[in-house]
PDB file of all heavy atoms in Angstrom:
ATOM      1  N   GLY A  13      -2.625   2.404  -8.371  1.00  0.00           N
ATOM      2  CA  GLY A  13      -1.268   2.343  -8.930  1.00  0.00           C
ATOM      3  C   GLY A  13      -0.197   2.024  -7.894  1.00  0.00           C
ATOM      4  O   GLY A  13       0.999   2.110  -8.186  1.00  0.00           O
ATOM      5  N   THR A  16       1.890  -1.074  -9.010  1.00  0.00           N
ATOM      6  CA  THR A  16       2.598  -0.719 -10.261  1.00  0.00           C
ATOM      7  C   THR A  16       3.776   0.197  -9.965  1.00  0.00           C
ATOM      8  O   THR A  16       4.885  -0.020 -10.435  1.00  0.00           O
ATOM      9  CB  THR A  16       1.579   0.025 -11.190  1.00  0.00           C
ATOM     10  OG1 THR A  16       0.450  -0.824 -11.371  1.00  0.00           O
ATOM     11  CG2 THR A  16       2.175   0.373 -12.525  1.00  0.00           C
ATOM     12  N   THR A  32       1.334  -6.145   1.480  1.00  0.00           N
ATOM     13  CA  THR A  32       0.531  -7.152   2.212  1.00  0.00           C
ATOM     14  C   THR A  32      -0.332  -7.956   1.236  1.00  0.00           C
ATOM     15  O   THR A  32      -0.571  -9.127   1.469  1.00  0.00           O
ATOM     16  CB  THR A  32      -0.317  -6.494   3.325  1.00  0.00           C
ATOM     17  OG1 THR A  32      -0.807  -5.268   2.848  1.00  0.00           O
ATOM     18  CG2 THR A  32       0.493  -6.250   4.565  1.00  0.00           C
ATOM     19  N   ILE A  58     -13.022  -7.938   1.171  1.00  0.00           N
ATOM     20  CA  ILE A  58     -12.985  -7.300   2.497  1.00  0.00           C
ATOM     21  C   ILE A  58     -11.602  -7.485   3.126  1.00  0.00           C
ATOM     22  O   ILE A  58     -10.799  -8.289   2.654  1.00  0.00           O
ATOM     23  CB  ILE A  58     -14.088  -7.837   3.432  1.00  0.00           C
ATOM     24  CG1 ILE A  58     -14.043  -9.352   3.554  1.00  0.00           C
ATOM     25  CG2 ILE A  58     -15.456  -7.366   2.960  1.00  0.00           C
ATOM     26  CD1 ILE A  58     -15.121  -9.927   4.484  1.00  0.00           C
ATOM     27  N   ARG A 146     -14.806  -3.274  -2.626  1.00  0.00           N
ATOM     28  CA  ARG A 146     -13.436  -2.938  -2.185  1.00  0.00           C
ATOM     29  C   ARG A 146     -13.297  -1.420  -2.060  1.00  0.00           C
ATOM     30  O   ARG A 146     -12.638  -0.916  -1.162  1.00  0.00           O
ATOM     31  CB  ARG A 146     -12.402  -3.476  -3.178  1.00  0.00           C
ATOM     32  CG  ARG A 146     -12.281  -4.988  -3.061  1.00  0.00           C
ATOM     33  CD  ARG A 146     -11.611  -5.593  -4.286  1.00  0.00           C
ATOM     34  NE  ARG A 146     -10.246  -5.148  -4.471  1.00  0.00           N
ATOM     35  CZ  ARG A 146      -9.567  -5.288  -5.584  1.00  0.00           C
ATOM     36  NH1 ARG A 146     -10.118  -5.839  -6.655  1.00  0.00           N
ATOM     37  NH2 ARG A 146      -8.286  -4.878  -5.680  1.00  0.00           N
TER      38      ARG A 146
HETATM   39  P1  LIG B   1      -3.721  -5.300  -2.833  1.00  0.00           P
HETATM   40  O1  LIG B   1      -2.884  -6.418  -3.304  1.00  0.00           O
HETATM   41  O2  LIG B   1      -3.091  -4.269  -1.968  1.00  0.00           O
HETATM   42  O3  LIG B   1      -4.310  -4.729  -4.166  1.00  0.00           O
HETATM   43  P2  LIG B   1      -4.966  -3.466  -4.739  1.00  0.00           P
HETATM   44  O4  LIG B   1      -5.131  -2.404  -3.709  1.00  0.00           O
HETATM   45  O5  LIG B   1      -6.153  -3.997  -5.408  1.00  0.00           O
HETATM   46  O6  LIG B   1      -4.088  -3.013  -5.949  1.00  0.00           O
HETATM   47  P3  LIG B   1      -3.010  -1.919  -6.281  1.00  0.00           P
HETATM   48  O7  LIG B   1      -3.484  -0.578  -5.943  1.00  0.00           O
HETATM   49  O8  LIG B   1      -1.682  -2.354  -5.779  1.00  0.00           O
HETATM   50  O9  LIG B   1      -2.985  -2.165  -7.862  1.00  0.00           O
HETATM   51  P4  LIG B   1      -2.386  -1.181  -8.964  1.00  0.00           P
HETATM   52  O10 LIG B   1      -3.158   0.069  -8.821  1.00  0.00           O
HETATM   53  O11 LIG B   1      -0.941  -1.135  -8.944  1.00  0.00           O
HETATM   54  O12 LIG B   1      -5.007  -5.833  -1.973  1.00  0.00           O
HETATM   55  C1  LIG B   1      -5.817  -6.944  -2.382  1.00  0.00           C
HETATM   56  C2  LIG B   1      -6.662  -7.471  -1.194  1.00  0.00           C
HETATM   57  O13 LIG B   1      -5.786  -8.013  -0.162  1.00  0.00           O
HETATM   58  C3  LIG B   1      -7.495  -6.447  -0.406  1.00  0.00           C
HETATM   59  O14 LIG B   1      -8.767  -6.228  -1.014  1.00  0.00           O
HETATM   60  C4  LIG B   1      -7.625  -7.137   0.988  1.00  0.00           C
HETATM   61  O15 LIG B   1      -8.602  -8.136   0.980  1.00  0.00           O
HETATM   62  C5  LIG B   1      -6.263  -7.793   1.161  1.00  0.00           C
HETATM   63  N1  LIG B   1      -5.297  -6.959   1.905  1.00  0.00           N
HETATM   64  C6  LIG B   1      -4.144  -6.453   1.397  1.00  0.00           C
HETATM   65  N2  LIG B   1      -3.501  -5.701   2.324  1.00  0.00           N
HETATM   66  C7  LIG B   1      -4.262  -5.741   3.455  1.00  0.00           C
HETATM   67  C8  LIG B   1      -4.154  -5.146   4.743  1.00  0.00           C
HETATM   68  N3  LIG B   1      -3.121  -4.335   5.057  1.00  0.00           N
HETATM   69  N4  LIG B   1      -5.134  -5.380   5.664  1.00  0.00           N
HETATM   70  C9  LIG B   1      -6.171  -6.171   5.374  1.00  0.00           C
HETATM   71  N5  LIG B   1      -6.352  -6.762   4.172  1.00  0.00           N
HETATM   72  C10 LIG B   1      -5.407  -6.551   3.203  1.00  0.00           C
HETATM   73  O16 LIG B   1      -2.846  -1.807 -10.311  1.00  0.00           O
HETATM   74  C11 LIG B   1      -4.160  -1.859 -10.799  1.00  0.00           C
HETATM   75  C12 LIG B   1      -4.198  -1.860 -12.301  1.00  0.00           C
HETATM   76  O17 LIG B   1      -4.098  -0.516 -12.754  1.00  0.00           O
HETATM   77  C13 LIG B   1      -3.084  -2.640 -12.971  1.00  0.00           C
HETATM   78  O18 LIG B   1      -3.588  -3.440 -13.973  1.00  0.00           O
HETATM   79  C14 LIG B   1      -2.174  -1.561 -13.525  1.00  0.00           C
HETATM   80  O19 LIG B   1      -1.541  -1.956 -14.719  1.00  0.00           O
HETATM   81  C15 LIG B   1      -3.143  -0.418 -13.799  1.00  0.00           C
HETATM   82  N6  LIG B   1      -2.488   0.886 -13.693  1.00  0.00           N
HETATM   83  C16 LIG B   1      -1.633   1.299 -12.737  1.00  0.00           C
HETATM   84  N7  LIG B   1      -1.223   2.566 -12.963  1.00  0.00           N
HETATM   85  C17 LIG B   1      -1.884   2.991 -14.108  1.00  0.00           C
HETATM   86  C18 LIG B   1      -1.890   4.207 -14.840  1.00  0.00           C
HETATM   87  N8  LIG B   1      -1.151   5.277 -14.504  1.00  0.00           N
HETATM   88  N9  LIG B   1      -2.679   4.277 -15.946  1.00  0.00           N
HETATM   89  C19 LIG B   1      -3.428   3.206 -16.328  1.00  0.00           C
HETATM   90  N10 LIG B   1      -3.449   2.009 -15.663  1.00  0.00           N
HETATM   91  C20 LIG B   1      -2.683   1.920 -14.565  1.00  0.00           C
END
Side-chain angles (χ1 to χ4, degrees):
T16 305
T32 38
I58 55 180
R146 288 162 64 195

